[in-house]
């Protein structure tokens, strides 16, 4: 049984933002979302509950917490980390362990937490890290035998204590009953007049118990206090995701320019991602796919062997196998391209199902449409789907040939094998195998004189 308390009530004033700090996105997900994901996974394995302490911006933070399935505890006044944990523990049964995480320390992983929980079975365990620049962090004070005896906040530290490079991550695990015993003993006689959770270390030592300092990865302890740190952590996480893809057989031509937002991104081996590509979760890409320079893909599925040419923008769309999309194509929500389809330059599709082998190659808008197999949609074809109030559907059978610059005034249905003359405005249904021509007949006037300006 594991209680996980995530502290997230702080203001985050150094972000200079109207958005609460813990809702700022790191690699496509709010900071708090990263921490809750780890917490959920721990609770799944060990049983327990997750409580998030919210305060500043709780009107915005609370709905996110509820959506994630965690409990909320309100801390109306931010009287310190110790106070935050104390109110979060209100009403918790005393068995099991309690783990404290921070909403703004998002790169914490289960590998870092597992040894902490193991150490926290029999006493207070603190996750520490040895860092190059410990400025601002609480310092870990150990005695000559290496036992942790106290944590001193930077503001309260002496010159020699400030020279210590082992810092407090702020992440702790301990038997719930121990926190319940120590928290009421905290006082606020320090530089910030706050109830410091860190003082539990000293209190635990005073009561004759050992405190365990568990050294973890530096990244696990890195907090986000400003936008510079947010960018720094984003780079770390992006690099980790890029490396994982490359290790699994995906080529990233210029890894540092590829952004992988959200954790649900799956790409099969031998796919090549060109520079400056952004993928927003969920994304599923098959093998031997090429994703062209500058493409921006959100919530997409792409089948094996397809080529997405440069500057394609796609959202909530699926592309079958061996298809070709782009360059400069926009696939909007509800686009479903079957195998071996082509959608070319300056084409836009929306809510459109396109059958196997069909081509929309140049300068077209296809919206609210169902298109059969082997259809050729000529250059500049427009489905006129909107009458100003309602959207209407265009249906094309198999083997339709739509002449260039055709306007299809929906609702309209063209049967199998229909041909439309270039420049036609098609307003009524066309039966299969017919040719539909809807344009005025050409008149040629001989020896025509163009108007001329008089010469002076
Ligand atoms: C804290 C630790 C410090 C550690 C550092 C690691 C204390 C006293 N100090 O310092 O030893 O090195 O974290 O990042 O614990 N919060 C609340 N309610 C409050 C106060 C804070 O929910 O009343 C939350 C904040 O939103 C934040 C976290 O607790 O997520 C840490 O608070 P913060 O004020 O940033 O503590 P630090 O000064 O960074
Ligand atoms: Ca902090």
């Amino acid at each position: 049984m594991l209680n996980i308390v995530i502290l997230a009530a702080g203001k985050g004033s150094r972000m200079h933002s109207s958005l609460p700090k813990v809702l700022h996105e790191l690699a496509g997900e709010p900071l708090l979302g990263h921490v809750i994901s780890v917490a959920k996974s721990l609770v799944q394995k060990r049983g327990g509950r997750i409580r998030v302490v919210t305060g500043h911006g709780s009107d915005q933070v609370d709905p996110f917490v509820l959506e994630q399935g965690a409990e909320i505890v309100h801390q109306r006044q931010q009287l310190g980390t110790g106070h935050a944990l104390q109110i979060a523990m209100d009403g918790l049964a005393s068995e099991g362990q309690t783990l404290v995480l921070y909403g703004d320390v998002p790169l914490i992983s289960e590998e870092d937490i597992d040894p902490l929980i193991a150490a926290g079975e029999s006493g207070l365990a603190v996750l520490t890290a040895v860092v190059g620049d410990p400025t601002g962090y609480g310092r870990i004070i150990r005695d000559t035998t290496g036992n942790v005896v106290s944590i001193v906040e930077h503001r309260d530290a002496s010159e020699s204590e400030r020279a210590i490079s082992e810092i407090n991550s702020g992440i702790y695990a301990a038997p719930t009953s121990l926190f319940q015993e120590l928290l009421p003993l905290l006082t606020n006689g320090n530089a910030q007049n706050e109830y410091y959770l860190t003082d539990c270390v000293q209190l635990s030592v005073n009561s004759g118990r050992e405190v365990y300092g568990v050294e973890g990865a530096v990244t696990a302890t890195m907090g986000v206090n400003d936008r510079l740190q947010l960018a720094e952590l984003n780079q770390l996480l992006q690099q980790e995701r890029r490396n994982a893809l490359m290790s699994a057989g995906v080529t990233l031509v210029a890894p540092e320019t590829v952004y992988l937002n959200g954790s649900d991104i799956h790409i099969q081996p031998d796919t090549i991602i060109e520079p400056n590509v952004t993928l927003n979760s969920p994304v599923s890409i098959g093998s031997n796919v090429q994703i062209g320079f500058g493409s921006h893909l959100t919530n997409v599925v792409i089948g094996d062997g397809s080529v997405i040419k440069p500057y394609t923008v796609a959202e909530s769309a699926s592309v079958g196998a061996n298809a070709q999309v782009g360059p400069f194509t926009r696939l909007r929500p509800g686009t479903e391209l079957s195998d071996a389809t082509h959608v070319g330059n300056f084409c836009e599709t929306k809510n459109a199902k396109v059958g196997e082998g069909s081509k929309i190659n140049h300068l077209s808008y296809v919206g609210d449409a169902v298109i059969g197999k082997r259809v050729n949609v000529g250059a500049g074809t427009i489905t006129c789907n909107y009458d100003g109030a309602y959207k209407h559907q265009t249906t094309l059978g198999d083997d339709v040939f739509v002449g260039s610059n055709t306007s299809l005034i929906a609702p309209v249905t063209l049967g199998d094998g229909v041909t439309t003359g270039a420049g036609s405005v098609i307003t009524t249904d066309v039966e299969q195998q017919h040719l539909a021509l809807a344009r005025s007949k050409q008149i040629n006037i001989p020896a025509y004189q163009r108007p001329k300006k008089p010469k002076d």
Side-chain angles (χ1 to χ4, degrees), residues 201-424:
V201 171
Q202 183 96 59
L203 291 169
S204 185
V205 170
N206 291 349
S207 73
R209 295 178 179 96
E210 211 172 309
V211 175
Y212 310 99
V214 177
E215 195 184 323
V218 172
T219 48
T221 66
M222 288 171 82
V224 173
N225 293 309
D226 57 32
R227 293 184 201 241
L228 275 81
Q229 287 169 327
L230 183 64
E232 200 179 319
L233 262 58
N234 189 39
Q235 285 309 329
L236 283 171
L237 189 51
Q238 293 292 349
Q239 200 52 47
E240 194 177 288
R241 289 179 180 172
R242 294 164 188 149
N243 291 349
L245 279 183
M246 292 189 283
S247 302
V250 177
T251 294
L252 304 190
V253 176
E256 64 286 356
T257 69
V258 173
Y259 285 86
L260 305 160
N261 296 325
S263 51
D264 196 5
I265 296 178
H266 305 278
I267 307 178
Q268 299 306 314
D270 289 323
T271 281
I272 297 172
I273 315 273
E274 293 180 2
N276 287 356
V277 167
T278 297
L279 302 178
N280 296 316
S281 189
V283 167
S284 169
I285 299 176
S287 59
N288 291 295
V289 172
Q290 184 140 0
I291 307 292
F293 189 101
S295 292
H296 195 284
L297 310 179
T298 304
N299 184 22
V300 295
V301 176
I302 299 172
D304 296 343
S306 287
V307 178
I308 308 298
K309 295 177 187 170
Y311 302 106
T312 293
V313 176
E315 184 186 351
S316 302
S318 67
V319 177
N322 303 311
Q324 290 189 29
V325 177
F328 302 102
T329 297
R330 183 170 181 211
L331 305 180
R332 291 173 52 207
T335 296
E336 293 175 28
L337 307 182
S338 304
D339 296 349
T341 46
H342 291 187
V343 179
N345 41 275
F346 307 108
C347 291
E348 173 183 344
T349 61
K350 183 217 74 173
N351 190 24
K353 287 189 172 61
V354 180
E356 202 175 325
S358 290
K359 295 174 181 168
I360 307 167
N361 269 333
H362 328 272
L363 303 155
S364 286
Y365 170 64
V366 174
D368 300 309
V370 176
I371 295 179
K373 297 175 182 165
R374 299 172 301 278
V375 170
N376 188 76
V377 176
T381 295
I382 304 291
T383 55
C384 306
N385 60 326
Y386 185 50
D387 61 13
Y390 300 100
K391 299 280 169 66
H392 301 285
Q393 186 169 302
T394 300
T395 306
L396 308 183
D398 295 337
D399 303 298
V400 168
F401 183 97
V402 182
S404 295
N405 200 30
T406 296
S407 296
L408 298 161
I409 313 290
V412 70
T413 298
L414 278 56
D416 292 347
V418 161
T419 304
T420 71
S424 290

Side-chain angles (χ1 to χ4, degrees), residues 23 41 71 83 98 177 188 198 237 337 343 357 363 365 380 398 419 444 455:
L23 294 186
S41 171
E71 297 171 48
H83 174 253
T98 295
S177 57
N188 63 354
T198 45
L237 189 51
L337 307 182
V343 179
L363 303 155
Y365 170 64
D398 295 337
T419 304
N444 291 350
K455 288 198 178 102

Side-chain angles (χ1 to χ4, degrees), residues 171-186:
I171 292 168
Y172 316 85
T176 301
S177 57
L178 181 59
F179 275 132
Q180 284 168 335
E181 178 190 323
L182 300 179
L183 288 169
L185 306 177
L186 293 178

Side-chain angles (χ1 to χ4, degrees), residues 30 36 40 61-70 72:
I36 294 180
K40 273 183 177 167
V61 180
D62 291 359
F64 178 75
V65 174
L66 292 176
E67 191 186 297
Q68 300 289 307
I72 294 166

